[in-house]
Amino acid sequence: MSTVFVHVGQAGCQLAQALWPTLASERPCSPDLFCPRATPGQPPRPRAVLVDGEPKVIEAALAERRGGSRSTKVEAWDDFAFDPSAAAWSQSGRGGNFALGYAGD
């Protein structure tokens, strides 16, 4: 059975950036955690969805590709990249939502 991780908000997306390198090194090529490579030479994709109200943190996670230049067999599976199609964000900030809801305006 496969698992899908949903990382929500700035803290959730930053946690994903810290969590997935550890999972990649401890459970290399695990089909429960990583989608199979679509084409040879492509890094495996974590089974993760990134959601945030602003694009900054998600874009940083998508731009970051881990591994790729290592030589040992175990460390070679530390190579992964987040899938851009599994990310959702909006262009506007969310800072004023509480104030708008609280004031009733």
Side-chain angles (χ1 to χ4, degrees):
M1 179 163 86
S2 294
T3 304
V4 176
F5 292 80
V6 180
H7 301 281
V8 180
Q10 180 176 354
C13 293
Q14 289 173 335
L15 177 68
Q17 285 181 284
L19 173 70
W20 285 100
T22 304
L23 291 176
S25 65
E26 290 181 0
R27 305 231 4 223
C29 195
S30 171
D32 291 340
L33 298 174
F34 293 93
C35 298
R37 296 171 190 253
T39 58
Q42 292 241 333
R45 305 288 188 183
R47 292 187 184 274
V49 177
L50 304 174
V51 181
D52 196 0
E54 296 183 30
K56 185 168 66 171
V57 177
I58 292 179
E59 287 174 350
L62 294 177
E64 198 172 323
R65 180 176 171 190
R66 303 287 183 146
S69 62
R70 298 193 171 98
S71 58
T72 65
K73 186 176 182 182
V74 173
E75 290 178 334
W77 287 108
D78 193 23
D79 178 27
F80 75 91
F82 288 105
D83 187 0
S85 66
W89 68 88
S90 132
Q91 292 298 324
S92 62
R94 299 288 179 227
N97 280 350
F98 176 78
L100 290 174
Y102 185 77
D105 241 340

